[in-house]
């Protein structure tokens, strides 16, 4: 166990680090949510991020006085929560509650203090998460005010209220009309902090959230839009086809209207979630169950869904120093177009990562300015459920190893020009058909 002097130093350093994080988090929230204008802030480089500090003297004085008292409470380990409340200026209604739960951590005996680099990495991740929530939250369309609340322990031996602080109401939001989102944690050797945002949803936002829940889980056929201000044409079409459409058909119709408010909101939320995850990761369930089933997925043992993101853009020629030492016809480094699609690249990368699985098919799920996101349907050829199923056990044959690398999946055949119909009668599809349907008996000489 470290001596008491080292414990005091660690406690003081932890309290200072938590207070600094709260300062930059509060300024970022106030700027992103439009409570204060951009003229009231200045950009600084902190934690390898471009963060904001206040140039508004009134705001800086208020936040500094609050955080100085919070730091004292952190030193005495008597604080539980710090809450930033955004309130409507006209109606006094609470619009958002940013809750920062603070908990004292008891380090194990003989444990070394947590390195500053790890603490800064976790703080950097939390601040980036706060900035990422701005695309998820609806814009505040009315003038708003902010208030900072602190929840401290009252053990009966000391007064929990400090100078300038007084008891007030909690500015709570009813969960029936609100949504709660938890962000990443950060911790020091002494304290742990967890950020959570609870925001008020209007009727349209609640409707969108209900659609998100429906599309992310098993869907029944007996729910309607309930007329909560959605697109009138989509609403009337859904009411007319409600008796005729099943769950997967209903999802398919929603997916066809990607420019509708509902689906744009859904794609934006999911894209924000995918950016926080690893490049290749296993999904618990398909994001588009209707599309996955049309491509051969079954919700049973032996089937696996992997999600991957692929960087968008053209292809650069892989030459040393960007110089082509050769004929003029081979010049050019940038503005080259890859002969195959990004979906085939996604399938190959997943197949290379999961060597014991066979790639069955894939489909698009999302995209942003940097990446395209795909879900890859994989099959385990060693699983007895797959080997005993006559509809899928063809993929267990050794000839189907790395089929995605040999362009044997749907997108691979499309890129090779193999298909049926009038679109495949022109070259090179015509040449491909002729080559596959011509018997050539070469004479031995």
């Amino acid at each position: 166990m470290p001596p008491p002097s080292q414990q005091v130093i660690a406690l003081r350093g932890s309290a200072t680090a938590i207070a600094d994080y709260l300062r930059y988090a509060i300024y970022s929230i106030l700027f992103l949510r439009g409570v204060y204008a951009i003229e009231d802030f200045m950009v600084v480089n902190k934690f390898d991020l471009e963060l904001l500090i206040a140039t508004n003297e009134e705001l800086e004085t208020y936040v500094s006085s609050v955080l100085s008292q919070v730091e004292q409470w952190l030193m005495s380990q008597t604080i539980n929560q710090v809450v930033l409340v955004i309130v409507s200026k006209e109606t006094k209604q609470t619009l958002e509650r940013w809750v920062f739960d603070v908990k004292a951590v008891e380090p194990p005996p003989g444990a070394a203090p947590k390195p500053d680099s790890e603490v800064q990495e976790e703080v950097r991740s939390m601040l980036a998460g706060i900035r990422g929530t701005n695309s998820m939250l609806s814009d505040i369309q009315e003038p708003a005010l902010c208030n900072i609340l602190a929840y401290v322990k009252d053990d009966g031996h000391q007064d929990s209220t400090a100078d300038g602080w007084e008891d007030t109401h909690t500015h709570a939001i009813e969960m029936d009309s609100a949504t709660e989102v938890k962000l990443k944690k950060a911790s020091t050797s002494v304290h742990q902090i967890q950020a959570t945002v609870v925001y008020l949803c209007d009727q349209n936002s609640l409707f969108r959230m209900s659609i998100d829940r429906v599309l992310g889980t098993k869907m029944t056929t007996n729910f309607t839009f309930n007329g909560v201000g959605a697109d009138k044409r989509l609403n009337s079409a859904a009411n007319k086809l409600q008796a005729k459409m099943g769950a997967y058909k209903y999802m398919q119709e929603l997916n066809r209207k990607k420019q509708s408010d509902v689906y744009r909101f859904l794609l934006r939320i999911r894209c924000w979630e995918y950016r926080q995850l690893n490049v290749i990761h296993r999904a618990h369930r398909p994001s588009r169950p209707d599309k996955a089933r049309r491509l051969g997925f079954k919700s049973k043992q032996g089937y696996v869904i992997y999600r991957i993101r692929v960087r968008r853009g053209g292809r650069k020629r892989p030459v040393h120093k960007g110089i082509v030492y050769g004929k003029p016809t081979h010049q050019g480094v940038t503005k080259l177009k890859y002969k195959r699609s990004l979906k085939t690249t996604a399938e190959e990368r997943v197949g290379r990562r999961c060597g014991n699985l066979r790639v069955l098919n894939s489909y698009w799920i999302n995209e942003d300015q940097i990446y395209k996101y795909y879900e890859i349907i994989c099959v385990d050829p060693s699983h007895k459920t797959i080997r005993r199923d006559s509809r899928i056990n063809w993929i267990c044959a050794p000839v189907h190893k790395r089929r995605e690398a040999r362009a044997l999946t749907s997108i691979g055949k499309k890129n090779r020009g193999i298909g049926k119909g009038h679109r495949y009668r022109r070259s090179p599809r015509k040449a491909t058909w002729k080559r596959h349907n011509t018997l050539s008996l070469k004479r031995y000489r």
Side-chain angles (χ1 to χ4, degrees):
M1 184 175 181
S5 60
Q6 293 186 8
Q7 294 182 13
V8 173
I9 293 174
L11 183 60
R12 185 180 294 112
S14 175
T16 304
I18 297 297
D20 285 344
Y21 161 71
L22 290 174
R23 179 185 303 276
Y24 292 111
I26 290 172
Y27 288 153
S28 298
I29 294 168
L30 295 180
F31 167 70
L32 292 173
R33 307 307 296 139
V35 180
Y36 284 85
I38 190 173
E39 294 81 9
D40 296 326
F41 299 95
M42 180 179 65
V43 179
V44 296
N45 195 334
K46 186 74 173 178
F47 304 116
D48 292 335
L49 291 174
E50 290 186 352
L51 301 176
L52 299 172
I53 60 173
T55 57
N56 187 322
E57 295 183 0
E58 182 179 356
L59 176 61
E60 173 65 23
T61 303
Y62 171 65
V63 174
S64 298
S65 62
V66 168
L67 293 182
S68 62
Q69 181 60 53
V70 168
E71 188 172 351
Q72 296 180 19
W73 282 328
L74 287 170
M75 287 284 295
S76 60
Q77 298 185 352
T78 57
I79 190 167
N80 294 326
Q81 278 184 355
V82 178
V83 182
L84 174 64
V85 181
I86 299 178
V87 184
S88 172
K89 190 174 182 180
E90 298 177 356
T91 62
K92 306 302 180 183
Q93 184 183 20
T94 304
L95 304 177
E96 295 176 5
R97 290 183 91 247
W98 294 80
V99 181
F100 301 92
D101 289 302
V102 181
K103 183 173 65 174
V105 178
E106 189 70 26
K114 193 170 185 178
D116 293 341
S117 59
E118 293 186 12
V119 176
Q120 291 183 4
E121 180 64 28
E122 292 181 0
V123 170
R124 189 184 307 116
S125 179
M126 287 190 67
L127 291 173
I130 290 176
R131 294 167 62 176
T133 55
N134 192 49
S135 62
M136 177 186 63
L137 303 177
S138 57
D139 296 335
I140 298 178
Q141 304 292 345
E142 52 186 317
L145 302 173
C146 69
N147 195 6
I148 300 178
L149 311 178
Y151 291 79
V152 296
K153 300 175 183 177
D154 187 5
D155 54 6
H157 300 288
Q158 57 182 359
D159 187 8
S160 297
T161 58
D163 295 337
W165 292 74
E166 59 183 10
D167 293 332
T168 182
H169 59 88
T170 60
H171 293 278
I173 302 177
E174 295 183 2
M175 294 307 297
D176 294 339
S177 58
T179 302
E180 179 180 355
V181 177
K182 287 191 175 183
L183 305 178
K184 295 181 179 180
K185 297 180 181 180
S187 62
T188 63
S189 300
V190 183
H191 296 100
Q192 184 183 70
I193 185 167
Q194 166 75 63
T196 306
V197 56
V198 181
Y199 58 96
L200 187 66
C201 293
D202 55 4
Q203 287 186 333
N204 290 333
S205 299
L206 286 174
F207 167 71
R208 293 166 182 169
M209 289 298 177
S210 64
I211 291 294
D212 192 12
R213 295 192 191 100
V214 167
L215 293 181
T217 57
K218 291 185 178 179
M219 178 178 174
T220 58
T221 59
N222 58 355
F223 81 99
T224 61
F225 281 68
N226 292 328
V228 289
D231 187 2
K232 294 182 179 179
R233 290 175 295 177
L234 187 61
N235 191 10
S236 60
N239 291 331
K240 290 178 181 178
L241 298 176
Q242 181 187 5
K244 303 178 182 179
M245 292 169 55
Y248 292 126
K249 183 66 175 178
Y250 192 76
M251 295 182 195
Q252 184 178 353
E253 289 298 322
L254 279 178
N255 187 67
R256 286 177 178 172
K257 300 181 180 295
K258 292 186 175 64
Q259 293 300 319
S260 63
D261 292 341
V262 174
Y263 213 76
R264 287 175 62 188
F265 181 82
L266 176 63
L267 291 178
R268 191 173 65 188
I269 295 296
R270 287 183 171 175
C271 193
W272 172 79
E273 178 188 1
Y274 298 156
R275 282 196 296 266
Q276 317 303 319
L277 302 174
N278 294 331
V279 176
I280 302 177
H281 61 275
R282 181 175 176 178
H284 297 291
R285 62 177 67 89
S287 301
R288 297 172 58 186
D290 57 321
K291 184 68 173 179
R293 285 185 62 86
R294 289 202 303 272
L295 294 179
F297 174 77
K298 300 292 183 182
S299 181
K300 66 177 185 178
Q301 293 181 343
Y303 288 86
V304 186
I305 295 289
Y306 271 86
R307 192 179 294 129
I308 181 175
R309 65 172 181 258
V310 182
R311 188 175 292 272
R312 298 175 63 177
R315 175 185 179 271
K316 290 183 65 176
R317 193 185 300 277
V319 290
H320 183 56
K321 294 185 179 179
I323 304 173
V324 180
Y325 299 97
K327 299 177 181 179
T329 187
H330 296 151
Q331 298 295 320
V333 176
T334 61
K335 299 185 179 179
L336 302 180
K337 307 301 183 288
Y338 189 39
K339 299 297 183 182
R340 297 163 66 181
S341 66
L342 295 178
K343 190 187 290 188
T344 60
T345 303
E347 291 181 349
E348 286 188 17
R349 291 179 181 177
V350 172
R352 195 177 302 119
R353 172 69 65 86
C354 307
N356 61 327
L357 302 178
R358 304 279 167 83
V359 174
L360 179 62
N361 230 318
S362 62
Y363 53 92
W364 175 95
I365 55 171
N366 215 324
E367 67 181 60
D368 55 20
Q369 292 181 346
I370 303 178
Y371 300 103
K372 282 193 176 183
Y373 302 86
Y374 298 97
E375 284 186 353
I376 315 299
I377 305 173
C378 299
V379 179
D380 185 2
S382 302
H383 201 287
K384 62 180 181 181
T385 304
I386 301 299
R387 302 183 74 90
R388 296 172 182 175
D389 190 348
S390 60
R391 292 170 296 182
I392 193 62
N393 61 5
W394 55 267
I395 206 170
C396 301
V399 72
H400 292 292
K401 292 180 180 178
R402 297 305 308 277
R403 59 193 303 266
E404 73 284 348
R406 295 176 287 131
L408 296 178
T409 58
S410 296
I411 187 63
K413 290 184 178 180
K414 181 179 180 181
N415 292 334
R416 290 163 58 200
I418 300 175
K420 299 178 181 179
H422 69 281
R423 295 183 178 181
Y424 295 91
R425 282 184 284 188
R426 295 186 298 272
S427 180
R429 296 184 176 94
K430 184 178 179 181
T432 303
W433 178 89
K434 184 177 180 181
R435 186 174 68 252
H436 289 175
N437 292 272
T438 301
L439 179 62
S440 178
L441 301 176
K442 295 185 178 181
R443 181 180 176 185
Y444 177 75
R445 295 183 186 274

